[in-house]
Amino acid sequence: MKPILFLLLSAGLAAAGSRQIDLAGSWSFALDSTNKGHGEQWFLRTITPDVMFLPGSTDQAGYGVKVVEPDTGWLTRSFKYEGPAWYQREVVIPENWRGLHIVLFLERPHWQTEVWVDGVSGGTRNSLSTPHEYDLSAALTPGRHRITLCVDNTYKIDVGRNAHSVTEHTQTNWNGIVGEIALHASDPVWIDSTSIASDVEHKVLRVTCVIRNATGAPLAAEITAKAAGLESHVTQPVRVSAETSVTLTLPVPDAKPWDDIYLPVPDAKPWDDIEPSLYTLDLSLAAGRYSDQREIPFGVRGISTRGTQFLLNGRPVFLRGTVECNIFPLTGYPPTKVEAWERIFRIARSYGLNAFRFHSYCPPEAAFTAADRTGFLLHVELPVWNKTVGKDPVLSDYMRAEGYRILKAYGNHPSFTMLCLGNELIGDDRFMDALVAEFKKADPRRLYTFSADHVRRAPGPTSDYYVTQQTSVGRLRINGTRFTRTEEGTDHDFAPSVAAVHVPLVTHEMGQWAVFPDFGEIAKYTGVLKARNLEPFRDSLMARSMIDEAHDFQVASGKFSWAVYKEDMEAALRTPNYGGFFLLQLEDFPGQGEALVGVLDSFWDSKGILTPEEFRQFSSPTVPLLRMKKFVWTSGEPFIAHAEVAHYGRAPMTDAAASWRVVDDRGHAIASGNFPRVHLPLGSVTALGEINLPLAACRWAASQLSARSTCRWRMWPPRRIGKSPSPSPARRRATVATCGSILGPILRRRPLAC
């Protein structure tokens, strides 16, 4: 063990002048499956014999019970462990840290942590959403110390076994600590937290700081805020007691925004989903011989509602979102590196999306930073999916505390636009509505809602928006309603539900149409989770000598799945004054019965079903749409349809020109025309005109007609999908598809009599 001991000690030394000690590396380690560590006071002794690397999980290190039988319905862990696990190492505190404020920072533990320094308790933390921080100033004097951690992933608080913060269906209930693990030191007078709110109209920041003083005596101090690159700063004197909150203001006579003048940023560009402009606020504190500094990225952003629409900086915005269910098969936990999240957001952007819903969990800091940079609107949830909300005092206290922790940790990110209490919550509605009201009053920088829901048929009175599958007057998606009623065509929307509520409506988990598995994907599961749930499907095909058809099954089911997704998405876009949708989902959901519902696999890689360019034809700020009474037409009648455009771009479009063309399955043009030029206001669905096409010229019943609209206007160049491959004669169907359509299989009721 001596070489290991040397590694532990040398890794705990701070560089000269440094105010951080990185604790990443090898830790002495022991599982405590019989839960005897506390009773035997393991924190008072040297823990042996195992060693584990942090950051990491017990799954990654191969500790726990080796899994032999595969799980069915979701991915299989190689190792499982639930209970306390003990981690220990020694650290050397340098002499120049004497008298400093010292914090142990654990970015993302799972889930409850306790800490001891030389056998003396430093407290307990239990957040699933934010870093665990411990003030160890009194214990970590200069010299050598032993830090002992107990991480317990036992299910102690009933957040719901299916909550994606803990469930085996997605990230798993792992044990460990990931992300940054370090000791941070600062002067004993320091900036504890900062809140930045922005007034988009007046281009002003409201900066509120909490300053703490551990010297034991009040001190005169000065705090300065500068907006880097914006030539704006304010300096304010303050007298600091044990805890002091100060809002930075400029004493300008007769100024009215917010009844005071805060930090003006007149040259700042607004942050939004199209141009995510970011800046940095430099904060410095001077209190005699003590000082502290912070650099905080920010964006000038306002999110609000007007009637049943969202407003981003005063302009209507439509949420084109997907659900992220904590699906990271290689690690079993969400990444804490910005680059990993930027990849995900860039892929989602290529498919025309601008929003993410985090299903019953809150992502790490890196996700917010990446969303700030890429312009995504984030709907974040407390880590709860429970049926007794408001009836369990322990859970109620946890939800309240967790909400405030999330707001404090991530509240300055402009991408953090929405906070929700959890997924499909059932329980005491009055408790949920009261908690929403409490959060709204405490932090009005974002919008709030009680639940992402399929149970409660109306929004709570305090909710700013309503994410649901069904209102009191009808469903907001095809799944379970219109699948077999193909004669209805596309002449429908969700307007009755919009009229029944007073806040923006967002479709909850739109889609959920499964795609046949890609068995080649099994080899990609090289981490802690294995796709053993897919093996029975593969073996079944092999037993029937059909494995060579697996790819055809996936492509066919995928094309059908996303034709139906498309119909749902366009129905939402056709709805005037609609709020948006959250898909379930762009990528696969490998839990809850192998819900392989994505156009991408669980690794955010393409399945080859739809290209991003094809997808953006019905998922963009501006989308052409077609209303038609039915899908199947005969040669004895005219094809009649009405074209529209949904426009949620950066600015209105004037003198917009649009044209249409009908082609057969061989790509030959049958007819074409131009619509009158129109003005496209923001946040609206605008009529383009009617298409009236006699079908008598159709030459044979197997013709497959595709109506395509090419719209020419500023900021939206002409686009069309490539020619669809001709189907076999036995499978040809006569259809007319929506503008920019991907043709899906539609059952023919009557043949074309040409």
Side-chain angles (χ1 to χ4, degrees):
M1 292 296 291
K2 288 183 179 180
I4 296 175
L5 182 61
F6 172 76
L7 174 64
L8 297 179
L9 296 180
S10 62
L13 293 172
S18 172
R19 289 203 165 185
Q20 177 168 316
I21 298 176
D22 185 4
L23 298 180
S26 297
W27 290 63
S28 297
F29 171 77
L31 295 179
D32 187 10
S33 59
T34 58
N35 203 18
K36 61 184 180 181
H38 286 83
E40 295 180 357
Q41 299 183 317
W42 288 8
F43 47 84
L44 293 178
R45 70 189 195 193
T46 300
I47 293 176
T48 56
D50 295 320
V51 173
M52 181 172 149
F53 188 90
L54 292 178
S57 70
T58 52
D59 292 49
Q60 289 175 302
Y63 289 112
V65 178
K66 186 174 179 61
V67 177
V68 177
E69 293 297 323
D71 286 328
T72 57
W74 55 86
L75 303 176
T76 301
R77 296 165 69 178
S78 297
F79 296 89
K80 288 186 179 182
Y81 179 74
E82 183 174 314
W86 295 76
Y87 305 80
Q88 190 179 82
R89 68 173 301 159
E90 292 190 343
V91 63
V92 176
I93 304 299
E95 180 59 34
N96 61 5
W97 279 31
R98 186 179 296 278
L100 297 186
H101 169 244
I102 303 173
V103 171
L104 173 64
F105 183 88
L106 310 174
E107 182 173 357
R108 175 90 16 157
H110 193 90
W111 126 23
Q112 177 179 284
T113 63
E114 295 178 80
V115 63
W116 293 262
V117 177
D118 301 326
V120 178
S121 175
T124 302
R125 305 287 185 270
N126 66 359
S127 177
L128 282 163
S129 309
T130 63
H132 293 196
E133 298 183 72
Y134 292 90
D135 186 342
L136 302 180
S137 306
L140 291 178
T141 56
R144 193 179 305 277
H145 297 277
R146 183 173 64 202
I147 296 176
T148 305
L149 294 171
C150 179
V151 181
D152 192 348
N153 64 332
T154 303
Y155 193 81
K156 295 182 177 181
I157 300 172
D158 188 14
V159 297
R161 282 283 185 177
N162 286 332
H164 294 162
S165 53
V166 298
T167 183
E168 296 296 323
H169 290 188
T170 56
Q171 72 158 345
T172 77
N173 187 31
W174 53 279
N175 186 300
I177 306 168
V178 300
E180 182 183 351
I181 306 173
L183 292 172
H184 297 166
S186 64
D187 283 352
V189 182
W190 71 95
I191 301 170
D192 182 71
S193 63
T194 303
S195 170
I196 304 174
S198 57
D199 182 335
V200 175
E201 179 182 358
H202 298 98
K203 297 291 185 70
V204 175
L205 301 182
R206 180 175 182 172
V207 181
T208 302
C209 301
V210 174
I211 304 169
R212 295 190 184 275
N213 176 7
T215 66
L219 292 172
E222 203 172 61
I223 187 163
T224 299
K226 297 180 181 180
L230 296 175
E231 299 182 357
S232 180
H233 73 277
V234 57
T235 298
Q236 188 161 315
V238 59
R239 189 162 182 82
V240 184
S241 57
E243 178 181 326
T244 301
S245 178
V246 56
T247 300
L248 302 183
T249 64
L250 285 175
V252 178
D254 302 323
K256 293 302 179 185
W258 284 340
D259 299 322
D260 287 294
I261 281 290
Y262 301 95
L263 182 63
V265 285
D267 298 326
K269 296 179 180 179
W271 181 97
D272 63 22
D273 59 325
I274 298 174
E275 187 177 349
S277 300
L278 289 173
Y279 303 93
T280 300
L281 183 72
D282 295 326
L283 280 179
S284 60
L285 172 69
R289 63 191 180 96
Y290 305 121
S291 64
D292 196 13
Q293 292 82 36
R294 295 286 189 274
E295 292 185 354
I296 308 169
F298 72 91
V300 178
R301 184 271 290 154
I303 185 76
S304 60
T305 65
R306 182 176 62 203
T308 58
Q309 287 190 299
F310 293 104
L311 299 182
L312 184 60
N313 305 327
R315 71 170 175 86
V317 64
F318 188 98
L319 301 185
R320 305 181 306 277
T322 187
V323 179
E324 206 298 290
C325 296
N326 219 343
I327 299 164
F328 301 98
L330 296 182
T331 59
Y333 53 75
T336 57
K337 299 296 184 183
V338 174
E339 295 77 13
W341 285 103
E342 282 187 324
R343 172 184 176 265
I344 289 173
F345 288 128
R346 283 196 304 269
I347 293 171
R349 177 69 73 195
S350 74
Y351 286 85
L353 302 187
N354 67 350
F356 260 62
R357 175 193 162 215
F358 292 97
H359 183 309
S360 57
Y361 92 104
C362 175
E365 178 88 21
F368 293 92
T369 299
D372 291 346
R373 296 176 182 178
T374 54
F376 270 81
L377 310 180
L378 303 187
H379 161 113
V380 175
E381 295 182 5
L382 302 190
V384 181
W385 183 359
N386 184 282
K387 297 182 179 181
T388 59
V389 173
K391 300 179 180 181
D392 176 355
V394 174
L395 177 62
S396 297
D397 291 345
Y398 184 78
M399 291 176 66
R400 178 176 285 105
E402 192 78 338
Y404 280 114
R405 287 189 287 253
I406 290 172
L407 293 173
K408 179 181 177 181
Y410 313 120
N412 292 323
H413 289 280
S415 59
F416 185 8
T417 48
M418 292 162 274
L419 181 64
C420 174
L421 301 186
N423 177 72
E424 299 173 4
L425 302 180
I426 301 174
D428 186 344
D429 292 345
R430 292 173 299 176
F431 167 81
M432 288 185 265
D433 296 336
L435 189 55
V436 167
E438 185 178 333
F439 289 153
K440 287 175 64 173
K441 183 178 180 181
D443 189 344
R445 293 176 291 175
R446 58 197 42 82
L447 303 177
Y448 296 85
T449 193
F450 70 100
S451 176
D453 202 55
H454 73 103
V455 179
R456 196 169 169 185
R457 294 291 183 255
T462 60
S463 290
D464 295 313
Y465 63 108
Y466 183 27
V467 183
T468 186
Q469 292 179 6
Q470 180 167 328
T471 67
S472 59
V473 298
R475 289 178 67 83
L476 301 178
R477 61 185 200 178
I478 297 171
N479 188 343
T481 303
R482 298 184 60 253
F483 174 61
T484 59
R485 294 157 58 187
T486 57
E487 70 275 10
E488 290 188 6
T490 63
D491 191 15
H492 64 93
D493 57 34
F494 305 131
S497 289
V498 172
V501 301
H502 62 283
V503 296
L505 270 175
V506 182
T507 303
H508 174 57
E509 298 182 357
M510 176 179 278
Q512 301 189 37
W513 299 100
V515 179
F516 199 81
D518 174 11
F519 300 119
E521 185 184 333
I522 294 175
K524 297 168 69 172
Y525 289 82
T526 59
V528 300
L529 289 164
K530 308 300 181 185
R532 299 178 67 183
N533 56 327
L534 301 184
E535 293 171 358
F537 298 99
R538 179 197 61 192
D539 296 344
S540 176
L541 279 187
M542 293 179 66
R544 291 163 174 79
S545 300
M546 297 173 66
I547 193 65
D548 59 326
E549 298 184 67
H551 179 69
D552 293 338
F553 293 155
Q554 184 191 40
V555 172
S557 60
K559 293 287 187 182
F560 170 73
S561 167
W562 284 93
V564 185
Y565 268 99
K566 174 181 177 293
E567 187 179 343
D568 254 340
M569 294 162 69
E570 291 187 340
L573 286 164
R574 281 193 298 268
T575 306
N577 303 315
Y578 204 63
F581 54 77
F582 287 123
L583 301 173
L584 188 72
Q585 55 194 49
L586 194 64
E587 82 283 19
D588 278 345
F589 181 88
Q592 292 180 232
E594 298 90 9
L596 309 181
V597 295
V599 69
L600 307 175
D601 65 21
S602 297
F603 301 88
W604 287 82
D605 295 330
S606 174
K607 296 180 180 180
I609 295 170
L610 290 179
T611 67
E613 293 75 18
E614 291 171 329
F615 198 97
R616 287 200 303 272
Q617 294 192 17
F618 52 91
S619 175
S620 290
T622 307
V623 177
L625 303 162
L626 200 67
R627 287 182 179 268
M628 53 187 178
K629 294 294 184 182
K630 55 184 179 178
F631 286 109
V632 180
W633 302 75
T634 67
S635 61
E637 59 186 341
F639 166 63
I640 299 174
H642 294 86
E644 301 173 334
V645 174
H647 177 48
Y648 292 89
R650 197 80 182 277
M653 293 182 178
T654 58
D655 200 30
S659 62
W660 60 270
R661 185 167 62 131
V662 177
V663 299
D664 63 19
D665 62 348
R666 299 179 182 180
H668 299 150
I670 294 176
S672 63
N674 296 309
F675 296 112
R677 292 178 178 269
V678 295
H679 171 70
L680 300 180
L682 275 179
S684 65
V685 182
T686 303
L688 290 176
E690 182 181 88
I691 300 173
N692 191 320
L693 175 65
L695 298 177
C698 178
R699 301 189 52 156
W700 44 293
S703 289
Q704 186 179 59
L705 307 181
S706 175
R708 304 176 188 276
S709 174
T710 302
C711 303
R712 297 180 177 88
W713 45 59
R714 179 169 47 89
M715 297 175 62
W716 203 72
R719 293 192 297 264
R720 56 165 292 187
I721 66 168
K723 177 183 173 184
S724 301
S726 298
S728 65
R731 295 185 179 180
R732 286 183 175 129
R733 297 291 183 264
T735 69
V736 179
T738 309
C739 301
S741 172
I742 305 300
L743 295 178
I746 302 296
L747 296 179
R748 181 177 57 185
R749 297 176 63 215
R750 290 196 298 161
L752 285 169
C754 300

